[in-house]
Amino acid sequence: MEEQQLTIDVSSIQVQPGNVTFDGYENLKDEALYLAKQIEVLKVDEENIKTSKKMLATINSRVKELEDKRISIKKQMLEPYNEFEKQVKEIVKIVKEADETVRGQVRQLEEEERQSKREQIEILWDKRIGQYQFKDFFRFEDFLQAKHLNKSTSLNTVEKELVDWLEQRDQEIKHLQTLDNKDEILAEYKQSMNLVDSINTVQNRHKEKEQVSQQMDKGSKSKSYMIVFSNEAEYEFAKMLLNEKELNFETKVDE
């Protein structure tokens, strides 16, 4: 496809600044200031209330007339700009729609390339993983990272990382198989793939279990108490109370 350029000559856009002449501005401003001062000192009473209302209505009517003129002039002056803005937005929309079309095709092509590379890496995985005893322990997704699918990462680089990754897993699993609670540690390792964390997690778990067990054992052990009576009356009275409460006790009388 021949490269196309959008020829934009901003110098072709001509602007003629609008001009508004307000010859009576200074005089009208002075009148408004004078009138405002008069209104501020005006004391409204029952005699002049109607006149005051009429005067204010007349003033506000003239001010509204001036304000309406301002709005009308603004609208007239903005019409050329609004038309220019509409034209520019139309051109921008055309270009953006074309841009999105191309970008969509680029994204689709890149995704197809990433999928193709993923399939090639998975072939390497299947070839390599079969050489290890733990071939069913890990999945392809456990190794694969987003960077492996980038164009900047070659297949040779990915394969080298794969070999290093598998060798590390092999050495660490062999070490874990020599430890107590190996099955439990291996289960943790499968999730985290972190040797130290897996060992510490299981060891801490068993320490907590042992502590709980010891605490439970302490709480479950029964205790015995000995009460010594100095005379037979006290002994008989205590014996009666214990029998009433149906408590277990043993007696021993020293001769």
Side-chain angles (χ1 to χ4, degrees):
M1 176 181 175
E2 183 180 351
E3 184 177 354
Q4 299 292 324
Q5 295 292 333
L6 188 64
T7 304
I8 299 178
D9 182 8
V10 292
S11 64
S12 65
I13 303 173
Q14 302 296 322
V15 181
Q16 296 180 356
N19 183 38
V20 179
T21 302
F22 192 180
D23 292 332
Y25 166 69
E26 293 295 340
N27 290 335
L28 186 58
K29 179 181 176 182
D30 291 340
E31 290 179 5
L33 289 171
Y34 175 78
L35 186 59
K37 289 181 180 180
Q38 294 297 316
I39 293 174
E40 288 176 359
V41 298
L42 176 66
K43 292 184 178 180
V44 180
D45 53 31
E46 293 182 357
E47 294 182 0
N48 64 13
I49 186 171
K50 290 184 178 180
T51 304
S52 298
K53 285 184 176 181
K54 184 177 180 181
M55 177 187 66
L56 291 174
T58 302
I59 294 172
N60 288 330
S61 175
R62 298 305 305 275
V63 170
K64 183 179 183 302
E65 182 181 348
L66 181 63
E67 183 69 3
D68 290 344
K69 185 64 176 178
R70 177 192 67 79
I71 294 173
S72 175
I73 292 173
K74 179 181 178 181
K75 183 178 179 181
Q76 293 175 32
M77 297 187 71
L78 283 177
E79 283 179 358
Y81 169 77
N82 290 336
E83 179 62 23
F84 169 68
E85 182 182 45
K86 178 181 176 182
Q87 293 170 341
V88 171
K89 287 185 175 181
E90 185 178 5
I91 294 172
V92 171
K93 180 182 178 183
I94 292 171
V95 174
K96 280 191 173 182
E97 288 177 351
D99 179 77
E100 282 300 317
T101 300
V102 174
R103 286 181 183 274
Q105 294 175 359
V106 170
R107 286 193 294 268
Q108 182 179 352
L109 180 60
E110 289 177 344
E111 183 57 34
E112 290 174 357
E113 290 175 348
R114 288 170 64 86
Q115 182 60 34
S116 175
K117 190 173 184 182
R118 177 190 172 95
E119 293 171 359
Q120 295 177 61
I121 297 173
E122 191 165 7
I123 291 174
L124 295 176
W125 167 271
D126 292 338
K127 181 180 71 173
R128 294 285 184 177
I129 193 67
Q131 302 172 19
Y132 296 88
Q133 292 182 349
F134 57 83
K135 60 182 179 180
D136 297 324
F137 195 70
F138 293 111
R139 301 172 303 150
F140 171 58
E141 289 74 16
D142 293 328
F143 162 74
L144 188 67
Q145 298 180 39
K147 67 175 185 177
H148 294 150
L149 303 179
N150 294 338
K151 280 186 176 182
S152 57
T153 307
S154 67
L155 274 177
N156 288 336
T157 299
V158 176
E159 186 170 16
K160 183 179 182 304
E161 288 188 18
L162 173 59
V163 172
D164 293 341
W165 189 89
L166 291 171
E167 283 298 311
Q168 181 181 354
R169 301 283 87 78
D170 185 49
Q171 294 174 14
E172 292 181 348
I173 288 176
K174 287 178 179 177
H175 173 69
L176 294 178
Q177 288 175 330
T178 65
L179 303 177
D180 294 335
N181 305 309
K182 63 179 181 180
D183 291 339
E184 194 174 348
I185 297 176
L186 283 169
E188 289 289 338
Y189 180 74
K190 184 176 182 180
Q191 297 298 322
S192 67
M193 286 183 286
N194 186 297
L195 180 71
V196 176
D197 286 351
S198 301
I199 295 173
N200 289 339
T201 297
V202 174
Q203 287 181 344
N204 290 336
R205 184 184 300 152
H206 280 269
K207 285 181 181 178
E208 291 176 0
K209 288 182 178 180
E210 182 64 24
Q211 290 174 354
V212 171
S213 177
Q214 291 176 358
Q215 292 172 354
M216 294 298 293
D217 289 343
K218 288 181 180 179
S220 62
K221 290 181 179 178
S222 59
K223 296 181 179 180
S224 59
Y225 300 89
M226 181 176 66
I227 303 176
V228 179
F229 298 98
S230 59
N231 60 70
E232 186 174 355
E234 292 177 351
Y235 163 70
E236 291 296 337
F237 179 71
K239 182 178 178 181
M240 179 187 68
L241 292 177
L242 292 171
N243 285 327
E244 288 179 355
K245 298 295 183 180
E246 297 182 351
L247 298 176
N248 295 325
F249 64 93
E250 295 180 0
T251 61
K252 180 180 179 182
V253 180
D254 293 335
E255 298 296 337

